[in-house]
């Protein structure tokens, strides 16, 4: 797919040890970001258990790279390792379209989704996700 035929909005990849968390968060972000922001959830282990499925993560990154770039958010531990391993399997031109956020999964995804919905660049969407680390709740 050439760059001109992509929808123009930065996408999100949500990686979690739980399919329910990844899918539910994708639904929540879609409600605030709208239908134009591509969101790919990659949650749970290969057999439906808790864990991270490296193949699912790799496929999610490939799909996300077909948009105007994507920001990847992860929960913890092996999800981070799975993303790192998947990046090593992708060609450089695909990796160049992806940004890995050091951000809280839920808050970062919401902030990233809102910024993506306004037409923000991949670096602006990344910055929004990462700024969520410092937002006080109380």
């Amino acid at each position: 797919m050439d760059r001109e035929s992509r929808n123009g909005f930065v996408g999100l990849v949500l990686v979690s040890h739980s399919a329910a968390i990844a899918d539910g968060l994708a639904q929540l972000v879609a409600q605030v970001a709208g239908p134009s922001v591509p969101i790919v959830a990659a949650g749970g282990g290969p057999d439906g258990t808790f864990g991270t499925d490296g193949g699912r993560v790799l496929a999610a990154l490939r799909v996300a790279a077909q948009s105007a770039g994507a920001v990847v958010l992860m929960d913890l531990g092996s999800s981070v390792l799975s993303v790192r391993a998947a990046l090593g399997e992708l060609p450089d031109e695909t990796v160049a379209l992806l940004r890995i956020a050091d951000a809280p999964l839920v808050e970062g995804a919401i902030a990233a989704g809102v910024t993506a919905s306004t037409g923000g660049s991949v670096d602006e969407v990344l910055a929004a996700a990462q700024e969520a680390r410092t937002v006080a709740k109380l």
Side-chain angles (χ1 to χ4, degrees), residues 7-97:
N7 85 2
F9 287 88
V10 171
L12 304 178
V13 178
L14 309 175
V15 183
S16 174
H17 284 71
S18 166
I21 288 174
D23 293 340
L25 180 56
Q27 291 173 19
L28 178 63
V29 174
Q31 288 180 14
V32 294
S36 297
V37 175
I39 304 168
V40 182
D47 55 359
T49 60
F50 290 109
T52 309
D53 180 345
R56 187 177 297 142
V57 171
L58 179 60
L61 296 179
R62 284 186 175 132
V63 167
Q66 294 176 11
S67 68
V71 172
V72 183
L73 295 108
M74 306 142 293
D75 56 9
L76 47 95
S78 66
S79 64
V80 177
L81 297 174
S82 293
V83 168
R84 285 182 176 173
L87 290 171
E89 298 288 323
L90 296 170
D92 292 342
E93 58 272 10
T94 300
V95 173
L97 296 170

